[in-house]
Structures are given as C-alpha cells and as structure tokens.
Amino acid sequence: METTTIDILRHGRTTADDIFRGQVDTPLAEEGFLQMQASLAPYRDPSPWQLVISSPLQRCLNFAETLAQEINSEVLTQRGFIEMDYGDWDGRPFKEVRAEDPELFNNVWQKPYDYAPPNGETFHDFYERVDGAWQQLVSDHQGKHMLLVCHGGVIRALLGKLMQSPLTALSRIDVPYASLSQIKIYHQPGRADWPQLSFHRPRP
C-alpha cells in the first residue's frame, strides 16, 4: 500500500492583523516567521519533506522558499491554495467595514456559507477551488511526503472536506497562526483513496 503524507502549515502572524486579509499580499511579521520555524523545529532533523508547496502570497511563500533552500527541496506555488477573496473588503480594516454595513458584516462573519462580501468569492466557490487544488496535488505527487504552506481558511476547508463536515461547521475548527496538521492518504489498487487526519495542533 502506498501512502501520501501532506503536512499543512498555516502562515504566522503578519504585519496587519486587523483587516480582511484574503488575497491582499500582506507580509509576515518577524514574529510570524519565528512562529513558523518553531512549529516545524521538531520535524527538521532530518527533514522529511520531498517537496514544498505554497500559496503564492508572500506571507506563505517567503517562508516556504527559505525552508526549501535550507532542506534542498523544490518549492511549487499553487494559486488554488490562496486565501478566500473578500472582494471590495479585501485589505480594509474590520472596524471600517463594520461601521459601513454592520448587517452584512455580521452575516458574512457569522454565516459565510450564506453571504459573501461585495464582489467577493462565495464560500461554495472557495471550497470547490481548494478541493480541486488538493485533488490535483495528491494526483500529481502521489506517494511523496510534502509540506503545504497556506492560510487559515484553506486549512479549515481541507479539514472539513476530510472529516466530511457540513460547511456550517467549518468555523468551529480553530486554526491558529503557524499551526501544523498532517493528513495521510492511503492508496490501495482497486479501492478509493483513504485519507486520515493524523494530527492538528497549534504551534508550540
């Protein structure tokens, strides 16, 4: 039986934490970089990763490129793993948007599966985009041990898909900065792939 192992690392703290941080390209804070290093430290000697995959946004990619160079690994970017697009709200402060349209703000925050920001991505479209990128990743690199560096919303979608959770339950999954999860996918000829969550833990 062949096994694909994918470790999933959320980016660390950024330089702007009080905004709708979807596809706006906010950089990591120095603290965030150190958080990510600390999360991976127990697994680095020796490094198990044959490939590093990253969202193209710099809060993920800058760390991914540094790590890949350190462990002599290739790094690939995949736009399917980019964070949700908040449309007209992307990059704007929470308090500004809340003051402008409190009803829609509350609906998007509390029921993202039913409401979307103006000109933003619907949660259903986001969920399907992430799932498509995941299926392609597993298909293209079956049997490898990979590290995926991405975003909180992406990780919730992936864990929800794995656990077959309804969309309404995804907000119940806590994904702290620099948290690390591991998914193993077991491949057997003639049978459907069997994915299993090995762990989901916050940074040390």
Side-chain angles (χ1 to χ4, degrees), residues 21-96:
R21 194 179 53 241
Q23 299 189 3
V24 62
D25 204 6
T26 309
L28 273 179
E30 182 178 356
E31 176 190 1
F33 194 93
L34 295 176
Q35 288 171 336
M36 296 169 81
Q37 284 186 320
S39 289
L40 296 186
Y43 310 96
R44 292 279 301 276
D45 190 21
S47 165
W49 304 298
Q50 298 166 279
L51 183 65
V52 179
I53 312 293
S54 178
S55 158
L57 297 182
Q58 61 179 322
R59 58 187 182 269
C60 299
L61 184 57
N62 287 354
F63 180 86
E65 289 179 331
T66 299
L67 175 68
Q69 189 172 41
E70 290 175 1
I71 66 175
N72 195 29
S73 170
E74 184 180 10
V75 58
L76 300 177
T77 59
Q78 168 54 267
R79 287 197 61 83
F81 293 123
I82 202 169
E83 186 58 285
M84 188 171 179
D85 182 3
Y86 290 109
D88 295 349
W89 291 0
D90 221 342
R92 295 182 60 192
F94 295 132
K95 62 181 181 180
E96 180 180 290

Side-chain angles (χ1 to χ4, degrees), residues 127-128 131 135 156-165 170:
Y127 190 76
E128 292 302 313
D131 181 56
Q135 298 300 330
R156 286 188 184 91
L158 290 173
L159 296 184
K161 184 77 172 182
L162 171 68
M163 303 306 292
Q164 299 181 350
S165 302
L170 298 191

Side-chain angles (χ1 to χ4, degrees), residues 119-190:
N119 297 310
E121 190 173 24
T122 68
F123 198 86
H124 176 77
D125 287 346
F126 169 67
Y127 190 76
E128 292 302 313
R129 165 168 64 81
V130 171
D131 181 56
W134 176 262
Q135 298 300 330
Q136 190 66 53
L137 176 65
V138 175
S139 175
D140 289 348
H141 305 288
Q142 182 173 315
K144 292 185 178 180
H145 190 158
M146 295 169 274
L147 177 69
L148 170 61
V149 186
C150 57
H151 309 270
V154 173
I155 296 170
R156 286 188 184 91
L158 290 173
L159 296 184
K161 184 77 172 182
L162 171 68
M163 303 306 292
Q164 299 181 350
S165 302
L167 294 182
T168 55
L170 298 191
S171 61
R172 300 179 184 182
I173 302 175
D174 184 29
V175 185
Y177 283 135
S179 59
L180 185 66
S181 310
Q182 184 180 87
I183 296 174
K184 289 182 178 289
I185 303 157
Y186 300 96
H187 311 278
Q188 287 184 283

